[in-house]
Each structure stands twice: as C-alpha cells, then as structure tokens.
Amino acid sequence: MRRLRLTRLKKRGLAGSGPEGRPPSVLFSPRSRIAIRTACLLLGMCLTANGSLLRGDEARIAWKTLGMQVRHEGRTRYSVEDLKKSPHTLMLECPHGLPTGTQVRLVIGGFRTLCGGLKEAAWSLDAAETSGGGKVTVTQNNLGDFYAQMRGQIPDRLQQHVAVVAKIERPVPPGGAVVLRIKGRPSPYDTAPVFGLLQLEVAPPGKKRFSQIGRSVLLELAPGKPAQVEVRSKSMADTSGFVPVSVFMKDRFGNPTSPPKGMVRLEAVGPLEGLPAELDWKTARDGCLHILGVRLKGSKPARIRVRDEATGTAMLSAAILPGPIHGRGHFFGELHFHSEYSADGNRPATAAYAYGRDFLQLDVLALSEHAGGPWWPQVLAINETFHRPGRLVTIPAWELSQKGGHVNVYLRSPKVDVSWTDRNHDWAQVREFDGPKDILLIPHCTMAQGHPDFPWTNVGSRVRLVEMLQTRGCSETAQEDKQWGINPRKLTTQPAKPNTAGDPHGIYSDSTNQDCSVRAALAAGYRLGFVGGSDNHDSYPTRHAFFGLYATQCPPYRKKSNMAGYAAMTGFAAKELTREAIWQAMNGRHVYATSGVPIICHVEINEALMGSEIIVPRGEPVRLDARLHGTAPIERVEIISDGKTVKSWQHGKLDVELKETLPGPKGKQTYYYLRLLQSDGHRAWASPVWVTVDSR
C-alpha cells in the first residue's frame, strides 16, 4: 500500500524529499508554513498547499490561494434621475501581507458607465493608502480622463479599462490592507439600463500580468419613471399583409422603462383593421406591447394614435403606406451606432438590435463599431443572428476614425472577404478607394462639430453616400442656419487643432480652415446620396448619443416633442426588404436622411428616382413628383439646386403630394434635392437627382 501511495504521489507531482516520500508540507506546522509562505512572497515566489515552490506564471496563479479578499463600501444601484456623486471604498485585505513592488490596479468595466464626460469628470480618486502599515504610491490615474480611459482598454477583455494603478513602496504587513477611495457616479449620458463593474487586480513584484482578486463589484444604472408613451409601426405591411406595431413607455431622458399600471388606449386614424381599442400594460413583454394582426384596408395612408391613462401622454404614429410607391417600398434603418464592442461604447450589441427591431420597428441595422480589437468575428456573428429578410436586414460595417476624416465601411454581405483586420487594403487611404465594388464608404461629420476636416479631394468612386446629419449636427452647409438645424464648425484661418490634450493625433478636432460641407462636395462634382446616422454609443439606434449635451445644441430644439431625443435615421426606397435590395438602394443612392424619425420621402425628377442621373433637352424645365408623409405637420418644403433654394412651399399638413415644374439647368448640368421641415423641428433630406443637358 505504501508503494502504491508513493506512486500516486509521484504521478501527481507531490512526492518530496521527506521521510517515506511524504509531501514536504507535512513536515511543517501550520504556523511555520505561514511564515515560509510570507518569506516566499518577499522573494517573488509562492508556496502551494502541498509545500511546492512556484515561480513566474505559476506563482501568479497561486496569488488567488493567499486568502486576499476585496471588500466594497458604497452604493451599487443608481437611477438616471438620481446621479449624485457618492463615495466608494475598495479594500484589498491581505492576511499574509504584500511585498514591495507589488502592483494593485483598479479596473472598471463598461466605458460609458464609469467614464468621465467630455466636459465633466464623473469619477475621481480621493486617496490610495494602506491600513496596518506599509506604503502605496499611485503610478497611473485615468479616472476622469475620457481619452486616457479609452486608450486604457485591456486587450482581449471586452469593455474593461485600467482606471488606477498603485505600487507597494513599503511592504504591507500580514493583516494589512490596500485601500482605494474613489468618488463618482455612473454615466453622465442619461442612458439606462446599463451595468458596470469595479474590480481589483494584483501583479507580483517584477511581473506584468495581473490576477483578479475576489468578485467584481457590480453597479447598475436603472431607467427613470415612465414619462411618455411612444408608438412605432412598420411603414408598410409585411409579406403576410400585417403591420407590426409596438407601444412602450420612456422616462424623461428617452430610455425605455417599466410601464405604469393601467391601460393604454389605441385609435385608428385611417383604414386600419385588427387594432384593439385598449391594452393592459400587464401584457407587455420586456416592457413593450407587441400588437399583431393589424391590416391596412384602402388606398390612403393610415396612422395610430395612442394615449396612456396613467401619465396622460399621447402620440400619433408615423404613416403606414397602403403599398409601394412606383414599385418601391419605403423602409427605415440606422447605419451608424456603437455598442460595447467599441472602446468608447456601452451596453451589449444584442440589446441594440433587439431595441431597434422590437421597439422601434426598424427594417435595417448596421452596427458600425470602431475598427480595432479582436471583436470582428463576434460582431459579424451577432449581425447574422438578427438578420431575417422581410423582418430585419443587417449590414456588416465598421468605422475608421482618422485625422483625415471619419469614414464608415459597409459590405454588401458577410461573404465579402474584407474586414477591419484585412491587411490587403490600405485603410489609411480609404477615402481614395475605387474598389472593391462590394463595399461602400460613407464619410460623416464632414462639417459638423467635434470631428476633423474631410477635404473633398482625391475621393474614390466607392464614396457614393454622405452622412448628412448625426448627433453632433448637420453638415449640409458651412453657414449656420437655426431654422434647419445646421450648426457647422467655425471656419478659421488657423490650422486645425485637437479639441483636447488627450487627442494628440487630432482625430476629434473641431476647428476647420476649409468648407467641407455636403454642398461643397456637390459643387466639386461629387455625386453623393444622403443618409442619416446617429453615432449613438449606447446601443440605442437613432437616438442622440449625448442626450444632455447635444439635444439642446443640435435640433430638433424649436419645440418640445416626445420625439426630441432622436438624432438621425435613413430611409431606403427599395424593391423589397432583403439585404441585396437594400444594398442596391444604397449603391444607387435611392435613400434619404431624416433627423431620427420615419418621415417618408419619395422624390422623382422627370420620373427618375432620387439618386438617379438623367439627361434632359436644353432649355426645358424639369418635372417634380414628390410624396411626403410626416410624423408631424410638414411646415416647409424646399428644392435646392446649385446650392440655392429654387422653389419652396408652405403646407402644415401631415401628408403632402407635389407635382410641380422646376426651372431647368442654367449650365451644362445641375442637381436637385428636396428637404422638408416639420412643425416639431424634425427634418428630412432626399438624395439629389443629377441632371445633364443634352449636348446634341
């Protein structure tokens, strides 16, 4: 038996030099083993439970066996309605002490959950100290520094950033502790629900690899009280002939929130069948009422009016079309938003897709994460999971943020063998791409605040669309126009400078010395269709990215509205809701931009759909045919040609149909595009039609 036991010990690596092959740990009393363990720590080694000495990575793993614990004191649940700063204390309790040279770091999870705002630091380090003796010195402090936190993301660890690093200068004796005292609050971006974490990690002296100690401290930011009811529907019936409808409650910041007790009333405005007169909020699933079985009967658009009894709030839905217009269905989507897969993003990508599909009833979604990191396979997999032709089309995409301007890349399908990790393309020269033909490049913020210049020179043929507006503003012109919500960067003769010391490469510069507006691009001869993308970083497609900061600076600001929190959206005039049909609409520029709500715009010049190129006889006028369906009364419609308004109309109606004659081109060629303004401040821009005069 003794020989068999010794053989088993040798196989397990536990046989030592003690009598009869006993493990060496048996030779020491518990008190002696603690003393030896502490001495080994001072030498950068660890003593396992069986007495073996470990070095290097093995020692790093064994740190978890030394009895260290993390204790947290502070608040763990917040509400967007109560974001007062509160203190947090994290104590690393060390029963066996810590040797000189040990590093302790505080890691935060969820960038926007815990990062400081662009103007205000949400978190700060009050003290780093020890209890029971010893000395600790802070060697790195990223709290309150937006860009330092963004650069401090830990490789291969999703949304975990180094906040504070401290080093033991004098040994912490057994029974002592390292104490970090911080103060702050979750996200200053009024977004909920979000979750973050605080955790402490330790690296032995002379080592770079850290191990987490204890469990993470989870922080939750919950939505506020229900304040406004919202109703959304598809703009057209699905393949079965039914129109999906959703009704949900928002808090005063625009977050979906738990509905109140009571009923919600529904009324058909137009020829609708199958719409219930009322619904009990008790039947809501995940906070949303999903209404099936609604049909549109007749040849005119219809809408749905809802009213919540508890809050007394009401809303009229966007228009539901009786069918395609001249063979084109109208679909809505979001082409520019971020999730936790971006270094400066927040909340899961799956939450973004579910919100866009189930709450907003969007037809198209393109998650455009910042290029970098190992996350492309995960992003692509989620994209494909939600892709359901006829219900929701997803488009593979990502963003390239560069000093020469910010550009989003869109793929025709996931089968296109291109990704942000592709080294066969020089992404630094993306603006000059003439191929491959299965990608599209869309610049954004070419003239809006907070981004660098996008000079309209050396732009390749795959740049066929431009982002007209987003959270930071509208890039239509270089001149401010409050009525149309255009708030461009200020032109200056000074060279562009970074807007913060934390942006040394100038990729977020907000000064310019040249006109980079959309109209400047059109004047330079570039033929670009218009799209809208919110650039939301909190997994809320179409919503303002910084509600508190930009919602007042960037319209709609004229009148308060239950739709005021939305920033941008794209409309697609496509033959069907499939990935290929949506791609053809984008590639053909048969698209339009809105300020975040589903305003339907169908515009034709001489029977050619927006985005087209046509030839007309010299000296003849052109014919406009436009069908416009607003989410609020349409106050003004304008036609822009060669940078000037050539015709305008005042209306005040929800539905507007125009059949008008426009002055023909004065030169060899021109363009015409339509823009509209609603009574609530929301706007839309249809892509141009380019008209060339027949030279014969």
Side-chain angles (χ1 to χ4, degrees):
M1 289 295 295
R2 188 168 65 85
R3 182 176 299 176
L4 178 61
R5 180 171 177 271
L6 181 60
T7 301
R8 288 177 177 173
L9 287 172
K10 287 181 178 179
K11 287 182 178 180
R12 294 165 57 188
L14 298 179
S17 57
E20 299 183 0
R22 286 180 293 171
S25 59
V26 178
L27 302 180
F28 304 105
S29 67
R31 181 174 299 179
S32 299
R33 288 164 59 192
I34 291 176
I36 293 173
R37 189 185 297 262
T38 304
C40 290
L41 276 175
L42 296 174
L43 296 174
M45 301 179 291
C46 285
L47 187 65
T48 66
N50 60 59
S52 302
L53 286 175
L54 300 179
R55 301 175 184 271
D57 290 342
E58 292 178 321
R60 178 185 61 82
I61 296 172
W63 277 76
K64 296 183 179 181
T65 71
L66 298 183
M68 287 187 287
Q69 295 183 353
V70 174
R71 187 155 57 93
H72 170 258
E73 294 178 357
R75 185 178 178 184
T76 58
R77 181 178 170 84
Y78 293 79
S79 165
V80 290
E81 295 181 345
D82 180 16
L83 285 176
K84 295 179 181 178
K85 288 189 176 183
S86 60
H88 292 259
T89 301
L90 290 103
M91 290 165 282
L92 178 65
E93 298 175 339
C94 310
H96 305 293
L98 285 178
T100 299
T102 302
Q103 294 188 87
V104 179
R105 73 180 182 188
L106 169 64
V107 171
I108 65 174
F111 175 72
R112 290 175 103 75
T113 305
L114 298 179
C115 77
L118 293 174
K119 291 188 175 181
E120 177 190 0
W123 290 79
S124 59
L125 175 66
D126 288 350
E129 55 196 19
T130 61
S131 65
K135 181 181 179 181
V136 63
T137 300
V138 175
T139 58
Q140 185 177 345
N141 179 12
N142 294 334
L143 284 175
D145 188 331
F146 181 95
Y147 293 97
Q149 285 190 37
M150 188 162 59
R151 293 193 301 270
Q153 183 168 12
I154 302 172
D156 301 330
R157 288 165 65 177
L158 185 61
Q159 277 301 305
Q160 292 195 18
H161 300 252
V162 177
V164 176
V165 180
K167 188 175 183 180
I168 304 300
E169 300 290 351
R170 191 165 59 243
V172 176
V178 177
V179 182
L180 297 180
R181 303 185 191 278
I182 59 177
K183 185 180 294 182
R185 57 180 173 81
S187 171
Y189 301 108
D190 307 325
T191 300
V194 293
F195 298 88
L197 62 84
L198 301 171
Q199 67 188 34
L200 291 182
E201 300 179 354
V202 177
K207 305 298 180 182
K208 295 182 179 180
R209 298 183 66 179
F210 286 79
S211 294
Q212 180 180 339
I213 306 299
R215 294 182 178 181
S216 302
V217 178
L218 297 181
L219 303 180
E220 177 185 358
L221 178 59
K225 298 177 182 178
Q228 173 67 53
V229 69
E230 184 161 332
V231 57
R232 292 294 184 112
S233 69
K234 294 282 190 180
S235 60
M236 296 178 59
D238 58 23
T239 53
S240 63
F242 295 103
V243 180
V245 179
S246 57
V247 182
F248 57 97
M249 294 298 298
K250 303 183 298 185
D251 64 18
R252 63 189 179 94
F253 301 102
N255 300 301
T257 191
S258 299
K261 295 180 180 180
M263 309 295 290
V264 59
R265 310 291 179 182
L266 300 100
E267 176 189 356
V269 182
L272 286 176
E273 294 181 351
L275 183 72
E278 62 179 19
L279 288 171
D280 195 322
W281 282 114
K282 291 180 180 179
T283 62
R285 187 173 73 251
D286 297 327
C288 184
L289 291 169
H290 300 277
I291 306 173
L292 305 175
V294 177
R295 285 181 179 272
L296 190 148
K297 297 292 185 179
S299 59
K300 294 184 178 181
R303 292 175 172 84
I304 299 172
R305 180 178 287 113
V306 299
R307 178 179 177 82
D308 172 58
E309 286 189 336
T311 60
T313 57
M315 179 182 171
L316 184 67
S317 77
I320 303 171
L321 295 178
I325 302 175
H326 295 172
R328 296 278 177 166
H330 282 260
F331 308 100
F332 290 94
E334 163 70 294
L335 296 177
H336 186 183
F337 65 99
H338 301 264
S339 78
E340 63 185 3
Y341 285 111
S342 287
D344 56 351
N346 201 16
R347 302 190 346 115
T350 52
Y353 278 102
Y355 172 73
R357 179 192 63 189
D358 301 333
F359 283 71
L360 299 186
Q361 296 293 341
L362 295 179
D363 304 294
V364 181
L365 287 171
L367 179 63
S368 51
E369 305 288 20
H370 290 292
W375 313 117
W376 176 248
Q378 291 90 327
V379 171
L380 199 60
I382 294 173
N383 211 52
E384 293 310 292
T385 298
F386 280 85
H387 179 64
R388 292 291 183 273
R391 178 70 175 94
L392 179 68
V393 166
T394 63
I395 301 173
W398 67 89
E399 177 179 345
L400 292 167
S401 302
Q402 304 172 86
K403 186 176 181 180
H406 292 208
V407 179
N408 284 10
V409 181
Y410 299 86
L411 307 184
R412 188 171 191 166
S413 80
K415 296 180 180 179
V416 179
D417 190 20
V418 175
S419 77
W420 70 49
T421 60
D422 184 7
R423 296 292 179 254
N424 295 323
H425 297 85
D426 183 3
W427 295 114
Q429 304 300 322
V430 64
R431 60 186 295 129
E432 300 179 14
F433 279 18
D434 288 317
K437 300 299 182 183
D438 291 334
I439 71 170
L440 279 171
L441 310 172
I442 304 181
H444 60 270
C445 275
T446 63
M447 200 65 208
Q449 300 175 18
H451 275 49
D453 293 351
F454 189 91
W456 291 104
T457 57
N458 301 323
V459 177
S461 62
R462 297 319 298 160
V463 179
R464 296 180 59 80
L465 302 169
V466 62
E467 193 176 275
M468 174 65 80
L469 79 164
Q470 62 143 265
T471 283
R472 292 172 177 83
C474 178
S475 293
E476 184 179 9
T477 72
Q479 290 75 43
E480 184 178 9
D481 188 332
K482 290 186 177 181
Q483 182 183 30
W484 289 93
I486 302 170
N487 56 331
R489 300 191 297 271
K490 304 299 181 183
L491 290 172
T492 175
T493 57
Q494 300 298 319
K497 297 179 180 180
N499 64 359
T500 172
D503 180 27
H505 301 294
I507 65 171
Y508 293 100
S509 168
D510 60 359
S511 60
T512 184
N513 53 18
Q514 55 190 310
D515 185 347
C516 302
S517 67
V518 173
R519 287 193 189 176
L522 295 175
Y526 292 102
R527 299 189 169 186
L528 305 168
F530 305 154
V531 300
S534 67
D535 200 8
N536 182 280
H537 279 57
D538 295 309
S539 294
Y540 276 123
T542 74
R543 180 175 152 176
H544 273 286
F546 313 103
F547 188 89
L549 175 63
Y550 281 102
T552 54
Q553 293 183 9
C554 303
Y557 59 80
R558 296 173 61 214
K559 295 182 180 180
K560 291 185 177 180
S561 164
N562 63 330
M563 304 291 276
Y566 297 100
M569 179 184 284
T570 298
F572 305 83
K575 294 181 179 180
E576 59 183 358
L577 187 54
T578 63
R579 185 175 275 159
E580 180 60 22
I582 294 299
W583 175 264
Q584 292 295 347
M586 293 174 66
N587 193 55
R589 300 172 300 222
H590 307 317
V591 291
Y592 48 98
T594 85
S595 54
V597 294
I599 303 169
I600 296 173
C601 298
H602 188 96
V603 180
E604 297 180 3
I605 298 290
N606 285 11
E607 300 182 354
L609 185 61
M610 51 195 168
S612 302
E613 302 177 17
I614 62 174
I615 299 175
V616 300
R618 182 180 300 276
E620 291 190 7
V622 298
R623 301 181 308 279
L624 168 70
D625 184 354
R627 300 187 189 184
L628 313 171
H629 304 282
T631 59
I634 298 171
E635 284 189 345
R636 185 175 179 84
V637 180
E638 294 184 354
I639 300 296
I640 308 298
S641 180
D642 286 336
K644 299 178 181 179
T645 301
V646 295
K647 204 156 189 178
S648 64
W649 301 266
Q650 302 282 349
H651 285 282
K653 299 179 180 179
L654 283 170
D655 304 298
V656 173
E657 185 171 349
L658 295 172
K659 290 184 179 294
E660 299 283 346
T661 299
L662 304 177
K666 294 182 179 180
K668 294 181 179 180
Q669 62 181 20
T670 188
Y671 60 83
Y672 300 89
Y673 72 81
L674 179 148
R675 67 178 185 176
L676 67 82
L677 175 67
Q678 295 189 157
S679 61
D680 63 353
H682 276 292
R683 299 139 293 148
W685 292 259
S687 293
V689 172
W690 287 267
V691 178
T692 301
V693 175
D694 192 342
S695 59
R696 291 175 298 177

